[in-house]
Amino acid sequence: MSENTFEALLGPNLRSVRTLVQRRLRTSGYAEDLVQEILLRAFQRRDQLRVHAKFRTWLWSIALNEIRSFFRRDRSTVSLEEFPNFEAPDPSMPPLVRLERMERRAWVHASMAELSERDQAAIRLRDIEDKSVREAASALNCSESAARTAHFRARQRLAQIMASAPLGGRQGVGAGSS
């Protein structure tokens, strides 16, 4: 491709490349420098373009590659030694805590399975699904006061089952270990 052909194809596409770079960089200080890099790279590789109709796509791919390269090479780094009191807590849960939660969840599910279907429904509606008393009463086909009573009694029965279960004999749900 000749220099004149390159210039003729570049003219209508230059503004869109500038806009692309400015939007991606969000800082005008480096945008013009990067546009110059893109144009230089495109001019150096103009012989690689075989179909002139694909010039815009070809130029944009060069631009996007240069933008990526810009972000890769201009990443600033800070040494953690500059911040002696910096502590980054581990966001993941410790394995022991995760295991205890899994055991507790299995224990609660096993205890719930021993309840009647109505008791399970009362606890599920109020405690797990966080339904209002009115919604729970509607689902249980009873009055609101009967739904409150059913929920209270279901929780009492669950507490009795959990107190007699193997894990319940150790510490119980929510109790800390020493």
Side-chain angles (χ1 to χ4, degrees):
M1 170 187 317
S2 70
E3 291 179 26
N4 292 337
T5 306
F6 179 79
E7 286 181 33
L9 292 171
L10 180 63
N13 294 297
L14 185 58
R15 184 179 184 139
S16 66
V17 170
R18 274 200 172 98
T19 304
L20 170 71
V21 171
Q22 288 172 346
R23 285 187 180 159
R24 295 290 174 110
L25 260 55
R26 294 186 186 115
T27 57
S28 59
Y30 296 110
E32 281 304 312
D33 292 341
L34 192 57
V35 169
Q36 292 299 318
E37 289 288 327
I38 292 166
L39 296 179
L40 179 62
R41 181 95 48 219
F43 185 76
Q44 289 172 340
R45 297 181 180 167
R46 68 187 184 277
D47 293 331
Q48 293 177 356
L49 180 65
R50 300 287 177 233
V51 181
H52 296 300
K54 304 258 181 180
F55 182 81
R56 178 184 169 98
T57 305
W58 177 76
L59 185 61
W60 272 56
S61 66
I62 291 172
L64 291 171
N65 286 333
E66 287 298 314
I67 292 168
R68 285 187 205 103
S69 294
F70 172 81
F71 283 120
R72 271 189 232 118
R73 70 177 171 253
D74 288 343
R75 289 183 184 160
S76 59
T77 58
V78 177
S79 172
L80 288 178
E81 292 172 1
E82 295 178 26
F83 302 98
N85 297 328
F86 179 76
E87 286 188 35
D90 185 3
S92 64
M93 192 181 312
L96 181 60
V97 173
R98 192 174 325 131
L99 178 64
E100 287 175 344
R101 284 190 179 178
M102 288 172 33
E103 286 179 345
R104 196 173 298 135
R105 188 174 292 125
W107 176 46
V108 170
H109 284 289
S111 299
M112 283 279 293
E114 294 184 36
L115 293 174
S116 69
E117 286 186 32
R118 183 170 175 85
D119 286 349
Q120 288 180 29
I123 291 174
R124 181 180 34 81
L125 289 167
R126 293 288 291 138
D127 296 323
I128 298 170
E129 296 178 9
D130 202 27
K131 300 284 186 186
S132 68
V133 173
R134 178 174 289 150
E135 292 169 326
S138 174
L140 294 171
N141 294 323
C142 62
S143 67
E144 289 182 25
S145 61
R148 278 190 201 94
T149 303
H151 178 241
F152 177 78
R153 289 183 179 160
R155 288 186 66 153
Q156 279 185 326
R157 285 189 273 277
L158 180 61
Q160 289 172 350
I161 291 168
M162 292 176 79
S164 65
L167 189 61
R170 277 193 341 197
Q171 292 274 327
V173 172
S177 58
S178 46

